[in-house]
Amino acid sequence: MKPLTAFRLSIKNIIRRPGRSLCLAAVSALLSFALAGGSLLAECLKNGTKSMSDRLGADALIVPGGYESKAQGALLRGEPSAFFFEGELADRLLDSYGIEQASPQLFIATLDSEHCAFPVQMIGYDPSTDFVVAPWLSQSVPGGPAKGEVIVGADIDGRKGETLEFFGSYYLVAGKLEKTGIGFDTTVFLNMDQAREALDDYAGLVGAYIPEDAISTIAVNVSPAVDINDFSRRIRYGFREEDVGVVLTQAMLGNIASKMDSLLAVIRVITMFLWVASIGVLAILFSAILGERKREFGIYRALGASRKKLSALVLVEASFVSLIGSIAGTALLSLFYFSLNALIGLSIDMPYLAPTSAGTIAWLLGSAIIASFLAGPAASLFTAARIGKMATDAIMREGE
Amino acid sequence: MLLEVKNVSKSYKAGISALESTSFNVMGTFNACLTGPSGSGKSTLLNIISGLLPPSSGEVFFDGASLATLDDAALSRFRCENIGCVPQGRSMLASLTVLENVCLPFYLAKKKGDPKDRATELLALMGLDGFSNRRPKELSGGELRRAAIARGLMNQPKLLVADEPTSDLDPANAEAVMALFAKAIDAGVSVLLATHDMNCLKHCSIHLTMEKGRLLA
């Protein structure tokens, strides 16, 4: 016969009252779900901002006036956009005061039609001048994509060596990029010469007029001596008739960082509140259960259980139920997170990134399990202390 | 002297006096019945003798040792080893089987070994062969009471204390339960019962009567 230890007695009691046990475990599960969700979300947002900062290594993007938000949407969320400058205007912009580095890019939106594999953002860049994506793309394909080749983002449905059709032409996938969590994950990169051919195909298919030597953006780094806001004002004023817009990446990142800071503060407050509230709810539940179980505890006492033993029974039971609930809640969150992370990113209108390593995820989930698990025994401490102090005859009589 | 109750009183915070200066002592193996109307203090006296309830004043000596000198852990150990308890009403724990219920005092006393054989033997003695793996809800009132007596005898106590052991039993079952107490006495265990059932008196060697917290005789 297996010894009737405090652990075994607690398990037997948990099994005997599945409804009550489930109710207690559900509170712990909700708590761990919220804690794990909150910390994962916070981590993802932090990584998202860092990734953007790493990838958008330019001070500003000069875009056609009115297309600032389209450019941001394409870069941050991969929303396919196509917009163009006159080639001549681009040349004049490149000569602007204060520019230290500049490189043109071509943004083309592939089509949801039989001529394209799928609608995504296509970005053409000039490997000879680019300082934004070229170093990163070279890690995947040294020297960047050659003629007839593309490099695809992590979420593009195409593997290295496969071909993809865009605007009726076929492109060899020369490499696939690591996940970034921003719009680059659903972007197809190609060199500028290849992009111009794609642009001709695009114009032919949509029947639109595209200016010769058109470009979509100019990524610029300004001289250290030049104030970026002053540069932006000068560009907008100097080219007011041509209607030019400027996207300041630091402002864009700052805006996101500010949003993120507010969101993180809210997440922290909510998780703290949930933790305290859960302890309160569990304490009330344990206290109510104590009333229901006075008779049982009285019998234990009459049979020779010490007050310490009764407290141990309450604590072990609370700990076990809390542990089960915490694991279940975290497991549910993991399922939810891994299947719906893209949707979460869209719903909060912010770039989203999975934590960089399995270790980080494990650490966050483990922490959530521990924090929510501790709520159970913490909440039962009051009940455990009360049951120990109660006079035995009171326990027995009230339970009758 | 096995049991000595010396000027024991018990009053509660609300000023209610449940027991007033009660004294008695018994020697050797005995079978005592404590009778009296409801609220006369029978259960309070039983709980004080069992070490479950501290008296407001006075002292209880068991086998020459004062219970007042023991802390909770020592008192609990003392109860485990010396006093078997048959609580009032249905007292078998629903989460355990009948066998586990009977073995529980063994584990609470932190004894070494496997109590299964003794528990099975006690259940057989109580006429509950084959009931080991049943749940308490599957047993009748009489069977439950007999199982509770088996549990009370598990640690071979010197004293078995039973509160209203025949209260909700039919005459045949009540008689069977009293016969089991007689068996316990034969085995050298003293028995102290609190009861309303005057039929129990014929089995007792000592009859104590209580009224309004006082011991009359």
Side-chain angles (χ1 to χ4, degrees):
Chain A
M1 182 175 176
K2 286 182 186 169
L4 292 172
T5 57
F7 181 76
R8 195 141 181 270
L9 288 169
S10 299
I11 299 293
K12 281 179 168 287
N13 200 53
I14 288 166
I15 293 168
R16 187 177 77 88
R17 303 297 297 267
R20 184 171 73 192
S21 306
L22 271 175
C23 182
L24 291 168
V27 177
S28 297
L30 275 174
L31 178 63
S32 68
F33 186 93
L35 290 183
S39 50
L40 263 179
L41 187 60
E43 184 66 19
C44 290
L45 290 173
K46 274 190 212 166
N47 279 346
T49 308
K50 186 177 181 302
S51 173
M52 270 187 295
S53 183
D54 292 347
R55 301 279 173 258
L56 305 177
D59 292 335
L61 294 174
I62 301 173
V63 298
Y67 284 93
E68 292 90 338
S69 62
K70 289 265 186 195
Q72 286 190 38
L75 293 171
L76 299 181
R77 297 181 291 276
E79 294 163 5
S81 297
F83 44 88
F84 308 101
F85 282 127
E86 294 276 352
E88 175 270 334
L89 174 61
D91 289 340
R92 282 197 286 137
L93 280 165
L94 287 172
D95 288 335
S96 298
Y97 167 78
I99 293 180
E100 193 172 73
Q101 281 180 299
S103 184
Q105 292 179 336
L106 201 49
F107 281 42
I108 311 167
T110 69
L111 306 173
D112 186 9
S113 77
E114 59 182 319
H115 304 293
C116 289
F118 28 71
V120 289
Q121 181 67 57
M122 188 176 252
I123 295 180
Y125 74 103
D126 181 354
S128 63
T129 59
D130 187 89
F131 58 93
V132 180
V133 294
W136 176 51
L137 295 181
S138 293
Q139 290 172 14
S140 173
V141 178
K147 186 173 170 55
E149 290 181 348
V150 292
I151 298 176
V152 298
D155 293 343
I156 295 284
D157 187 14
R159 280 179 293 187
K160 187 178 177 179
E162 290 181 350
T163 53
L164 295 173
E165 183 187 5
F166 295 113
F167 313 117
S169 298
Y170 288 89
Y171 297 84
L172 177 71
V173 177
K176 191 156 188 168
L177 299 165
E178 64 188 34
K179 192 155 176 72
T180 64
I182 58 176
F184 289 168
D185 290 340
T186 52
T187 297
V188 172
F189 295 92
L190 62 177
N191 71 41
M192 190 60 89
D193 292 338
Q194 193 64 68
R196 294 212 175 281
E197 286 182 23
L199 185 60
D200 289 341
D201 293 338
Y202 168 79
L205 281 172
V206 299
Y209 165 73
I210 310 283
E212 197 177 337
D213 294 332
I215 59 159
S216 305
T217 69
I218 302 171
V220 297
N221 271 343
V222 299
S223 307
V226 175
D227 177 72
I228 187 71
N229 291 310
D230 186 42
F231 172 79
S232 172
R233 273 193 299 275
R234 278 168 181 266
I235 290 286
R236 279 200 292 259
Y237 184 75
F239 294 87
R240 61 188 177 281
E241 286 181 12
E242 292 88 346
D243 192 15
V244 166
V246 179
V247 177
L248 300 180
T249 51
Q250 280 311 312
M252 182 168 77
L253 293 175
N255 188 29
I256 290 167
S258 155
K259 257 185 178 178
M260 193 189 78
D261 285 346
S262 308
L263 194 61
L264 287 178
V266 171
I267 290 170
R268 282 193 197 103
V269 169
I270 289 174
T271 47
M272 272 311 290
F273 171 78
L274 276 174
W275 200 72
V276 173
S278 299
I279 290 179
V281 169
L282 283 171
I284 291 167
L285 286 173
F286 282 127
S287 188
I289 289 167
L290 169 64
E292 189 189 305
R293 296 176 64 186
K294 272 182 184 164
R295 170 79 175 158
E296 177 191 338
F297 289 124
I299 289 163
Y300 272 114
R301 196 92 171 100
L303 297 180
S306 62
R307 290 187 173 121
K308 205 171 151 190
K309 180 82 177 178
L310 290 190
S311 300
L313 281 175
V314 171
L315 279 172
V316 169
E317 204 172 309
S319 301
F320 193 74
V321 168
S322 189
L323 182 66
I324 296 290
S326 301
I327 292 172
T330 308
L332 191 67
L333 183 277
S334 305
L335 192 71
F336 183 74
Y337 166 75
F338 288 114
S339 51
L340 298 175
N341 61 359
L343 189 65
I344 297 165
L346 283 176
S347 67
I348 59 170
D349 193 25
M350 291 181 94
Y352 189 69
L353 186 71
T356 48
S357 66
T360 308
I361 298 176
W363 185 83
L364 289 172
L365 298 184
S367 303
I369 289 175
I370 291 168
S372 52
F373 158 69
L374 288 176
S380 70
L381 278 177
F382 174 69
T383 303
R386 226 174 110 208
I387 193 81
K389 281 179 187 165
M390 286 179 108
T392 307
D393 70 325
I395 297 174
M396 294 189 76
R397 281 173 186 278
E398 285 182 44
E400 281 169 12
Chain B
M1 195 176 299
L2 182 67
L3 182 65
E4 183 180 8
V5 177
K6 215 170 176 181
N7 300 321
V8 166
S9 299
K10 181 71 186 176
S11 53
Y12 293 100
K13 278 180 186 171
I16 300 164
S17 176
L19 206 59
E20 289 180 24
S21 194
T22 301
S23 299
F24 71 90
N25 56 67
V26 278
M27 297 173 78
T29 306
F30 61 87
N31 185 3
C33 260
L34 194 56
T35 60
S38 297
S40 59
K42 302 188 298 294
S43 295
T44 301
L45 181 59
L46 231 52
N47 285 335
I48 288 172
I49 290 169
S50 307
L52 288 167
L53 190 64
S56 302
S57 63
E59 245 179 311
V60 175
F61 293 88
F62 192 93
D63 228 2
S66 168
L67 302 190
T69 60
L70 304 175
D71 63 13
D72 182 67
L75 197 56
S76 300
R77 201 164 47 246
F78 160 82
R79 275 203 311 277
C80 275
E81 290 168 0
N82 296 290
I83 299 178
C85 189
V86 183
Q88 198 171 348
R90 292 174 180 244
S91 65
M92 303 299 276
L93 296 172
S95 56
L96 306 179
T97 62
V98 170
L99 181 71
E100 287 168 335
N101 262 287
V102 174
C103 292
L104 187 57
F106 178 89
Y107 290 112
L108 291 175
K110 295 179 183 167
K111 291 189 172 184
K112 304 277 181 203
D114 191 342
K116 191 179 174 184
D117 288 347
R118 171 153 174 83
T120 309
E121 191 183 302
L122 283 168
L123 283 171
L125 190 70
M126 301 296 143
L128 295 172
D129 307 73
F131 282 66
S132 294
N133 293 321
R134 292 203 195 172
R135 295 276 161 186
K137 65 180 177 187
E138 298 169 45
L139 272 60
S140 68
E143 288 164 345
L144 283 171
R145 200 58 51 83
R146 282 186 274 149
I149 294 169
R151 186 177 61 186
L153 293 169
M154 183 67 209
N155 287 344
Q156 294 171 300
K158 290 177 182 165
L159 175 65
L160 185 65
V161 171
D163 197 357
E164 302 287 2
T166 58
S167 62
D168 51 357
L169 301 182
D170 58 53
N173 265 313
E175 202 59 36
V177 164
M178 291 310 294
L180 291 174
F181 285 133
K183 275 188 190 177
I185 292 159
D186 290 344
V189 181
S190 293
V191 176
L192 176 59
L193 313 176
T195 184
H196 280 105
D197 186 356
M198 292 303 165
N199 289 323
C200 295
L201 293 177
K202 63 186 176 202
H203 300 276
C204 294
S205 53
I206 301 168
H207 179 203
L208 302 166
T209 307
M210 293 197 70
E211 197 175 302
K212 294 179 182 173
R214 287 178 179 278
L215 193 62
L216 301 179

Coordinates of all heavy atoms in Angstrom, one line a residue, chain A residues 321-384:
Chain A
V321 N -2.7 22.3 -7.5 CA -3.7 22.8 -8.4 C -3.2 24.1 -9.2 O -3.4 24.2 -10.4 CB -5.0 23.2 -7.6 CG1 -6.0 24.1 -8.5 CG2 -5.7 22.0 -7.1
S322 N -2.5 24.9 -8.5 CA -1.9 26.1 -9.1 C -0.9 25.7 -10.2 O -0.9 26.4 -11.2 CB -1.2 26.9 -8.0 OG -0.9 28.2 -8.5
L323 N -0.1 24.7 -9.9 CA 0.9 24.3 -10.9 C 0.3 23.8 -12.2 O 0.6 24.1 -13.3 CB 1.8 23.2 -10.3 CG 3.0 22.7 -11.2 CD1 4.0 23.8 -11.4 CD2 3.7 21.5 -10.5
I324 N -0.8 22.9 -12.0 CA -1.5 22.4 -13.1 C -2.1 23.5 -13.9 O -2.0 23.6 -15.2 CB -2.6 21.4 -12.7 CG1 -2.0 20.2 -11.9 CG2 -3.5 21.0 -13.8 CD1 -1.2 19.2 -12.8
G325 N -2.8 24.4 -13.2 CA -3.4 25.6 -13.9 C -2.4 26.4 -14.7 O -2.6 26.8 -15.8
S326 N -1.2 26.7 -14.0 CA -0.2 27.5 -14.6 C 0.4 26.9 -15.9 O 0.5 27.6 -16.9 CB 0.9 27.8 -13.6 OG 0.4 28.4 -12.5
I327 N 0.6 25.6 -15.8 CA 1.2 24.9 -17.0 C 0.1 24.9 -18.1 O 0.4 25.2 -19.3 CB 1.6 23.5 -16.6 CG1 2.8 23.5 -15.7 CG2 1.9 22.7 -17.9 CD1 3.3 22.2 -15.1
A328 N -1.1 24.6 -17.7 CA -2.2 24.6 -18.8 C -2.4 26.0 -19.4 O -2.5 26.1 -20.6 CB -3.5 24.1 -18.1
G329 N -2.4 27.0 -18.6 CA -2.5 28.4 -19.1 C -1.4 28.7 -20.0 O -1.6 29.3 -21.1
T330 N -0.2 28.4 -19.7 CA 1.0 28.7 -20.5 C 1.0 27.9 -21.8 O 1.3 28.5 -22.8 CB 2.3 28.5 -19.7 OG1 2.2 29.2 -18.4 CG2 3.5 29.0 -20.4
A331 N 0.6 26.7 -21.7 CA 0.5 25.8 -22.9 C -0.5 26.4 -23.8 O -0.3 26.5 -25.0 CB 0.2 24.4 -22.5
L332 N -1.6 26.8 -23.3 CA -2.7 27.4 -24.1 C -2.2 28.7 -24.8 O -2.4 28.9 -26.0 CB -3.9 27.7 -23.3 CG -5.2 28.0 -24.0 CD1 -5.7 26.8 -24.8 CD2 -6.3 28.5 -23.0
L333 N -1.5 29.5 -24.0 CA -0.9 30.7 -24.6 C 0.0 30.4 -25.7 O 0.0 31.1 -26.7 CB -0.3 31.5 -23.4 CG 0.3 32.9 -23.7 CD1 1.7 32.8 -24.3 CD2 -0.6 33.8 -24.6
S334 N 0.9 29.4 -25.5 CA 1.9 29.0 -26.5 C 1.2 28.7 -27.8 O 1.6 29.1 -28.9 CB 2.7 27.9 -26.0 OG 3.3 28.2 -24.8
L335 N 0.1 27.9 -27.6 CA -0.6 27.4 -28.8 C -1.2 28.6 -29.5 O -1.1 28.8 -30.7 CB -1.8 26.5 -28.3 CG -2.5 25.7 -29.4 CD1 -1.6 24.6 -29.9 CD2 -3.7 25.1 -28.8
F336 N -1.8 29.5 -28.7 CA -2.4 30.7 -29.2 C -1.4 31.6 -29.9 O -1.6 32.1 -31.0 CB -3.1 31.4 -28.0 CG -3.8 32.7 -28.3 CD1 -5.1 32.6 -28.9 CD2 -3.3 33.9 -28.0 CE1 -5.8 33.7 -29.2 CE2 -4.0 35.1 -28.3 CZ -5.3 35.0 -28.9
Y337 N -0.3 31.8 -29.3 CA 0.8 32.7 -29.8 C 1.4 32.2 -31.1 O 1.5 32.9 -32.0 CB 1.9 32.8 -28.7 CG 3.1 33.4 -29.2 CD1 3.2 34.7 -29.4 CD2 4.2 32.6 -29.4 CE1 4.4 35.3 -29.8 CE2 5.4 33.1 -29.8 CZ 5.5 34.5 -30.0 OH 6.7 35.0 -30.5
F338 N 1.7 30.9 -31.1 CA 2.4 30.4 -32.3 C 1.5 30.3 -33.5 O 1.9 30.3 -34.6 CB 3.1 29.0 -32.0 CG 4.3 29.2 -31.1 CD1 4.3 28.7 -29.9 CD2 5.4 29.9 -31.6 CE1 5.4 28.8 -29.0 CE2 6.5 30.1 -30.8 CZ 6.5 29.5 -29.5
S339 N 0.2 30.2 -33.2 CA -0.7 30.1 -34.4 C -1.3 31.4 -34.8 O -1.7 31.6 -35.9 CB -1.9 29.1 -34.1 OG -2.5 29.4 -32.9
L340 N -1.3 32.4 -33.9 CA -1.9 33.7 -34.2 C -1.0 34.9 -34.1 O -1.5 36.0 -34.1 CB -3.1 33.9 -33.3 CG -4.3 32.9 -33.4 CD1 -5.3 33.2 -32.4 CD2 -4.9 32.9 -34.8
N341 N 0.3 34.7 -34.1 CA 1.2 35.8 -33.9 C 1.1 36.9 -35.0 O 1.1 38.1 -34.7 CB 2.6 35.4 -33.6 CG 3.2 34.7 -34.8 OD1 2.6 34.5 -35.8 ND2 4.5 34.3 -34.7
A342 N 0.9 36.5 -36.2 CA 0.8 37.5 -37.3 C -0.5 38.3 -37.1 O -0.4 39.6 -37.3 CB 0.7 36.7 -38.6
L343 N -1.6 37.7 -36.7 CA -2.8 38.4 -36.5 C -2.7 39.4 -35.3 O -3.2 40.5 -35.4 CB -3.9 37.4 -36.2 CG -5.3 37.9 -36.1 CD1 -5.8 38.4 -37.5 CD2 -6.3 36.8 -35.6
I344 N -2.0 39.0 -34.3 CA -1.7 39.9 -33.2 C -1.0 41.1 -33.6 O -1.3 42.2 -33.3 CB -1.0 39.2 -32.0 CG1 -1.7 38.0 -31.5 CG2 -0.6 40.1 -30.9 CD1 -0.9 37.0 -30.7
G345 N 0.1 40.9 -34.5 CA 0.8 42.0 -35.0 C 0.0 43.0 -35.7 O 0.1 44.2 -35.6
L346 N -0.9 42.5 -36.6 CA -1.8 43.3 -37.3 C -2.8 44.1 -36.4 O -3.0 45.3 -36.6 CB -2.6 42.5 -38.4 CG -1.8 42.1 -39.6 CD1 -2.7 41.2 -40.5 CD2 -1.3 43.3 -40.4
S347 N -3.3 43.4 -35.5 CA -4.4 44.0 -34.7 C -3.9 45.1 -33.8 O -4.6 46.0 -33.5 CB -5.0 42.9 -33.8 OG -4.1 42.4 -32.9
I348 N -2.6 45.1 -33.4 CA -2.1 46.2 -32.6 C -1.3 47.2 -33.5 O -0.8 48.2 -33.0 CB -1.1 45.7 -31.5 CG1 0.1 45.0 -32.1 CG2 -1.8 44.8 -30.5 CD1 1.1 44.7 -31.1
D349 N -1.4 47.0 -34.8 CA -0.9 48.0 -35.8 C 0.6 48.3 -35.5 O 1.0 49.5 -35.5 CB -1.7 49.3 -35.8 CG -1.4 50.1 -36.9 OD1 -0.9 49.6 -38.0 OD2 -1.5 51.4 -36.8
M350 N 1.3 47.3 -35.1 CA 2.7 47.5 -34.8 C 3.5 46.3 -35.4 O 3.0 45.2 -35.4 CB 3.0 47.6 -33.3 CG 2.5 48.9 -32.7 SD 2.8 49.0 -31.0 CE 4.3 49.9 -31.0
P351 N 4.7 46.6 -35.8 CA 5.5 45.4 -36.3 C 5.7 44.4 -35.1 O 5.7 44.8 -34.0 CB 6.8 46.0 -36.6 CG 6.9 47.3 -35.9 CD 5.5 47.8 -35.8
Y352 N 5.8 43.2 -35.5 CA 5.8 42.1 -34.5 C 6.9 41.2 -34.8 O 7.2 40.8 -36.0 CB 4.4 41.4 -34.6 CG 4.2 40.5 -33.5 CD1 4.0 40.9 -32.2 CD2 4.1 39.1 -33.8 CE1 3.7 40.0 -31.2 CE2 3.9 38.2 -32.8 CZ 3.7 38.7 -31.5 OH 3.4 37.8 -30.5
L353 N 7.5 40.7 -33.8 CA 8.7 39.8 -34.0 C 8.7 38.7 -33.0 O 8.6 39.0 -31.8 CB 10.0 40.6 -34.0 CG 11.2 39.8 -34.4 CD1 11.2 39.5 -35.8 CD2 12.4 40.6 -34.0
A354 N 8.9 37.5 -33.4 CA 9.1 36.4 -32.5 C 10.4 36.6 -31.7 O 11.3 37.1 -32.3 CB 9.1 35.1 -33.2
P355 N 10.4 36.3 -30.4 CA 11.6 36.4 -29.7 C 12.8 35.6 -30.4 O 12.5 34.6 -31.1 CB 11.3 35.8 -28.3 CG 9.9 36.0 -28.2 CD 9.3 35.8 -29.6
T356 N 14.0 36.2 -30.2 CA 15.1 35.7 -31.1 C 15.4 34.2 -30.9 O 15.9 33.6 -31.8 CB 16.3 36.5 -30.8 OG1 16.5 36.6 -29.4 CG2 16.2 37.9 -31.4
S357 N 15.2 33.7 -29.7 CA 15.7 32.3 -29.5 C 14.6 31.5 -28.7 O 13.8 32.1 -28.0 CB 17.0 32.3 -28.7 OG 16.7 32.8 -27.4
A358 N 14.7 30.2 -28.9 CA 13.8 29.3 -28.1 C 14.1 29.5 -26.6 O 13.2 29.4 -25.8 CB 14.1 27.9 -28.5
G359 N 15.4 29.8 -26.3 CA 15.7 30.0 -24.9 C 15.0 31.2 -24.3 O 14.5 31.1 -23.1
T360 N 14.8 32.3 -25.1 CA 14.1 33.4 -24.6 C 12.6 33.1 -24.3 O 12.0 33.4 -23.3 CB 14.1 34.6 -25.6 OG1 15.5 34.8 -25.9 CG2 13.5 35.8 -25.0
I361 N 12.0 32.3 -25.3 CA 10.6 31.9 -25.1 C 10.5 31.0 -23.9 O 9.6 31.2 -23.1 CB 10.1 31.1 -26.4 CG1 10.2 32.0 -27.6 CG2 8.7 30.6 -26.2 CD1 9.8 31.3 -28.9
A362 N 11.4 30.1 -23.8 CA 11.4 29.2 -22.6 C 11.5 29.9 -21.3 O 10.8 29.7 -20.3 CB 12.5 28.1 -22.7
W363 N 12.4 30.9 -21.3 CA 12.6 31.7 -20.1 C 11.3 32.5 -19.7 O 10.9 32.5 -18.6 CB 13.8 32.7 -20.3 CG 14.1 33.4 -19.0 CD1 14.9 33.0 -18.0 CD2 13.7 34.7 -18.7 NE1 15.0 34.0 -17.0 CE2 14.2 35.0 -17.4 CE3 12.9 35.7 -19.3 CZ2 14.0 36.2 -16.8 CZ3 12.6 36.9 -18.7 CH2 13.2 37.2 -17.4
L364 N 10.7 33.1 -20.7 CA 9.5 33.9 -20.5 C 8.3 33.0 -20.0 O 7.6 33.3 -19.1 CB 9.1 34.6 -21.8 CG 10.0 35.8 -22.2 CD1 9.5 36.3 -23.6 CD2 9.9 36.9 -21.2
L365 N 8.2 31.9 -20.7 CA 7.1 31.0 -20.3 C 7.3 30.4 -18.9 O 6.4 30.3 -18.1 CB 6.9 29.9 -21.4 CG 6.5 30.3 -22.8 CD1 6.3 29.1 -23.7 CD2 5.3 31.2 -22.8
G366 N 8.6 30.0 -18.7 CA 8.9 29.5 -17.4 C 8.7 30.5 -16.3 O 8.1 30.1 -15.2
S367 N 9.0 31.7 -16.5 CA 8.8 32.8 -15.5 C 7.3 33.0 -15.2 O 6.9 33.1 -14.1 CB 9.4 34.1 -16.0 OG 10.7 34.0 -16.3
A368 N 6.5 32.9 -16.3 CA 5.1 33.1 -16.2 C 4.5 31.9 -15.3 O 3.6 32.1 -14.5 CB 4.4 33.1 -17.5
I369 N 5.0 30.7 -15.6 CA 4.5 29.5 -14.8 C 4.9 29.7 -13.4 O 4.0 29.5 -12.5 CB 5.2 28.2 -15.4 CG1 4.5 27.9 -16.8 CG2 4.9 27.0 -14.4 CD1 5.2 26.7 -17.5
I370 N 6.1 30.1 -13.1 CA 6.5 30.3 -11.7 C 5.7 31.4 -11.0 O 5.2 31.2 -9.9 CB 8.1 30.6 -11.6 CG1 8.9 29.3 -12.1 CG2 8.5 31.0 -10.2 CD1 10.3 29.6 -12.3
A371 N 5.6 32.5 -11.7 CA 4.8 33.6 -11.1 C 3.4 33.3 -10.8 O 2.9 33.5 -9.7 CB 4.9 34.8 -12.0
S372 N 2.7 32.6 -11.7 CA 1.3 32.3 -11.5 C 1.2 31.1 -10.5 O 0.3 31.0 -9.8 CB 0.6 32.0 -12.8 OG 1.3 31.0 -13.5
F373 N 2.2 30.2 -10.6 CA 2.2 29.1 -9.6 C 2.2 29.6 -8.2 O 1.5 29.1 -7.3 CB 3.3 28.1 -9.9 CG 3.7 27.3 -8.8 CD1 2.9 26.3 -8.3 CD2 4.9 27.5 -8.1 CE1 3.3 25.5 -7.2 CE2 5.3 26.7 -7.0 CZ 4.5 25.7 -6.6
L374 N 3.1 30.6 -8.0 CA 3.3 31.1 -6.6 C 2.0 31.8 -6.1 O 1.8 31.8 -4.9 CB 4.5 32.1 -6.6 CG 5.9 31.5 -6.7 CD1 6.9 32.6 -6.8 CD2 6.2 30.6 -5.6
A375 N 1.2 32.2 -7.0 CA -0.1 32.9 -6.5 C -0.9 31.9 -5.7 O -1.6 32.3 -4.8 CB -0.8 33.4 -7.7
G376 N -0.9 30.6 -6.1 CA -1.7 29.6 -5.5 C -1.4 29.4 -4.0 O -2.2 29.7 -3.1
P377 N -0.1 29.0 -3.7 CA 0.3 28.9 -2.3 C 0.2 30.2 -1.5 O -0.2 30.2 -0.4 CB 1.7 28.4 -2.4 CG 2.0 28.1 -3.8 CD 0.9 28.5 -4.6
A378 N 0.5 31.3 -2.2 CA 0.4 32.6 -1.5 C -1.0 32.9 -1.1 O -1.2 33.3 0.0 CB 0.9 33.7 -2.5
A379 N -1.9 32.6 -2.0 CA -3.3 32.8 -1.7 C -3.9 31.9 -0.6 O -4.8 32.2 0.2 CB -4.2 32.7 -2.9
S380 N -3.3 30.7 -0.5 CA -3.8 29.7 0.5 C -3.1 29.9 1.9 O -3.5 29.2 2.8 CB -3.5 28.3 0.0 OG -2.1 28.0 0.0
L381 N -2.1 30.8 1.9 CA -1.4 30.9 3.2 C -2.4 31.4 4.3 O -2.3 30.9 5.5 CB -0.3 32.0 3.1 CG 1.0 31.5 2.5 CD1 2.0 32.6 2.3 CD2 1.6 30.4 3.4
F382 N -3.3 32.3 4.0 CA -4.2 32.8 5.0 C -5.1 31.7 5.5 O -5.3 31.5 6.7 CB -5.0 33.9 4.3 CG -6.1 34.4 5.2 CD1 -5.8 35.1 6.4 CD2 -7.5 34.2 4.9 CE1 -6.8 35.6 7.2 CE2 -8.5 34.7 5.7 CZ -8.1 35.4 6.9
T383 N -5.6 30.9 4.5 CA -6.5 29.8 4.9 C -5.7 28.7 5.7 O -6.2 28.2 6.7 CB -7.0 29.1 3.6 OG1 -7.7 30.1 2.8 CG2 -8.0 28.0 3.9
A384 N -4.4 28.5 5.3 CA -3.6 27.5 6.0 C -3.4 28.0 7.4 O -3.4 27.2 8.4 CB -2.3 27.3 5.2

